[in-house]
Amino acid sequence: MSAHALPADHLLLARRLVDAIEAGDHSGTDELLKALNDGHFEALFKEIGKLTRELHDTFGNLATDERLVALAQEHMPDARERLNYVIAKTEEATDRTLSAVERMQPVNERIASGASALRGELDGAGDLAQLRRQVQAFLDDCEGGCATVRGGLTEVMMAQEYQDLTGQVIKRTIGLVGQVEEKLVGLVSACGAITRGAPSKVAVDPATSHGPAVRADDAVINHQDDVDELLADLGF
Amino acid sequence: MDKNMKILVVDDFSTMRRIIKNLLRDLGFTNMEEADDGSTALPMLKSGNFDFLITDWNMPVMEGIQLLKEIRADPKLADLPVLMVTAEARREQIVLAAEAGVNGYIVKPFTAQTLEQKIAKIFERLNAAA
């Protein structure tokens, strides 16, 4: 409001006020002070009135904006549900994959140790009938083991389906977040006309956790090599 | 390095605990237990004769950094080697963990090779110091 220039007649009134004070004219001084104040307050009240109307209209529009009502009442709860679905789906995929890996690991170990035992037997090559039985048993084990590994690999492959499903859900949620952001920006700029203050930047507390770094940031270290370098600088 | 040493794996995600335990098993370690946050890990550490701790940072109730500070403040646990495996990758966080007395720091996602190297390095240094 200080940006508004004072009306030209304010200067005239002020000069007359000084004259009245110097002349010791009390009633004239009072009258002129009142005249000056009236003009000033009138402008202030007018400005407040205008801002109040703007604020009222903004909130009024918010309440009747069907898209915003739908966002709050339907899309936000829906988004929460969708994100929970993403958590459930990725957890399920990880469990399936890890279970398959755990099933395949002992098969691999058994075949590897069977093969090296057989190599030892071949090097010795004593009783051929005995060796033949051992080779046959090993081949049987290999065939069974391969079937287990084949099943496990298929399972690992199938478990990756979550990527497609969760990707779609996350894309939709990103769109929703964009709409909410747009509405919030509108609200903030409407309020900004009154407060005229820029939001203060929130300080980063190193002791609180931030989760995985999803975008590049000077303070975020992306590679284990950089972590190692930093720790080396610290005497590790 | 003693492959029979007792290791506690702390992470709030069961899948990550499972992955770390599988990797440790691959590296030949056999004696592992798990906890889902600092507040459940601390009493286990106090009564369990653990030789090594692998912990996440971001967990509910008690975070990994707090667990590390509690360990260093406890005369019976102060010398326990601690490896942090976490998605927390801010420079100041790594400095904070180092100041709190962490023995190694791995950022997620990580590889089996990184885990092996860091564990080997921690025990090499401890043996050299002993």
Side-chain angles (χ1 to χ4, degrees):
Chain A
M1 274 146 277
S2 56
H4 292 286
L6 283 171
D9 60 0
H10 276 198
L11 195 58
L12 190 69
L13 284 172
R15 284 201 181 115
R16 280 170 56 196
L17 177 64
V18 174
D19 289 344
I21 292 168
E22 280 174 352
D25 176 1
H26 293 295
S27 65
T29 303
D30 285 347
E31 219 166 281
L32 285 163
L33 274 175
K34 195 168 169 288
L36 272 168
N37 271 338
D38 279 353
H40 182 67
F41 281 124
E42 201 181 322
L44 187 65
F45 284 140
K46 231 169 148 178
E47 193 68 24
I48 290 173
K50 210 174 107 197
L51 288 172
T52 308
R53 163 62 57 190
E54 277 174 17
L55 188 64
H56 177 82
D57 289 350
T58 305
F59 281 114
N61 290 341
L62 280 177
T64 55
D65 186 335
E66 280 177 19
R67 252 176 70 219
L68 192 71
V69 173
L71 272 178
Q73 289 183 346
E74 294 162 31
H75 299 317
M76 289 306 273
D78 191 37
R80 276 206 302 274
E81 210 173 286
R82 284 169 185 281
L83 289 177
N84 278 324
Y85 167 85
V86 171
I87 293 175
K89 210 65 199 160
T90 48
E91 189 175 6
E92 182 196 309
T94 312
D95 270 329
R96 280 175 72 183
T97 307
L98 291 174
S99 294
V101 169
E102 284 170 358
R103 271 201 308 278
M104 290 187 284
Q105 274 170 336
V107 174
N108 194 52
E109 285 309 309
R110 209 172 60 233
I111 291 175
S113 61
S116 65
L118 209 53
R119 186 185 300 282
E121 290 293 326
L122 276 174
D123 288 343
D127 182 356
L128 284 181
Q130 163 78 6
L131 185 61
R132 187 187 159 84
R133 278 197 300 278
Q134 274 183 319
V135 169
Q136 228 146 25
F138 176 67
L139 291 178
D140 287 346
D141 196 23
C142 275
E143 280 173 354
C146 283
T148 305
V149 170
R150 189 162 50 238
L153 289 175
T154 307
E155 177 70 3
V156 168
M157 190 176 66
M158 294 311 293
Q160 309 312 309
E161 68 181 348
Y162 79 93
Q163 170 55 26
D164 181 25
L165 303 169
T166 57
Q168 291 177 41
V169 167
I170 290 172
K171 257 188 199 161
R172 290 184 61 144
T173 310
I174 289 170
L176 175 68
V177 170
Q179 286 177 40
V180 173
E181 185 181 13
E182 193 187 301
K183 289 289 166 193
L184 282 177
V185 166
L187 187 58
V188 168
S189 58
C191 293
I194 296 151
T195 59
R196 300 218 189 267
S200 56
K201 202 177 174 194
V202 180
V204 175
D205 177 2
T208 57
S209 52
H210 303 273
V214 290
R215 63 176 172 166
D217 180 332
D218 287 347
V220 173
I221 289 175
N222 291 314
H223 292 285
Q224 184 65 38
D225 288 349
D226 298 332
V227 176
D228 295 346
E229 203 175 297
L230 176 58
L231 287 174
D233 288 347
L234 295 167
F236 274 75
Chain B
M1 191 185 346
D2 178 13
K3 296 277 182 179
N4 291 318
M5 68 175 168
K6 197 170 173 189
I7 306 173
L8 183 63
V9 177
V10 189
D11 198 304
D12 55 332
F13 275 81
S14 67
T15 49
M16 187 45 69
R17 294 200 298 271
R18 221 171 134 181
I19 288 170
I20 292 175
K21 282 173 72 182
N22 268 315
L23 291 174
L24 290 172
R25 205 172 293 128
D26 260 3
L27 296 175
F29 296 100
T30 52
N31 196 359
M32 293 164 283
E33 287 190 34
E34 51 183 280
D36 60 3
D37 89 298
S39 70
T40 51
L42 196 57
M44 289 175 75
L45 290 168
K46 282 183 174 170
S47 61
N49 286 323
F50 283 92
D51 301 302
F52 187 36
L53 170 70
I54 297 179
T55 183
D56 185 21
W57 182 313
N58 183 15
M59 294 178 290
V61 194
M62 191 197 286
E63 299 207 318
I65 188 72
Q66 188 57 37
L67 176 62
L68 175 61
K69 287 175 182 171
E70 300 271 351
I71 287 168
R72 293 294 176 248
D74 184 324
K76 273 170 72 184
L77 296 174
D79 294 330
L80 180 74
V82 177
L83 173 63
M84 264 202 167
V85 179
T86 171
E88 303 299 329
R90 300 189 78 85
R91 187 172 290 274
E92 61 266 28
Q93 288 178 303
I94 297 165
V95 172
L96 194 71
E99 285 169 355
V102 81
N103 299 80
Y105 200 103
I106 295 177
V107 287
K108 294 176 189 171
F110 63 102
T111 63
Q113 199 193 10
T114 302
L115 183 66
E116 184 176 17
Q117 284 172 354
K118 297 309 156 202
I119 294 175
K121 201 170 168 196
I122 287 173
F123 286 94
E124 252 169 50
R125 207 181 295 117
L126 287 176
N127 289 338

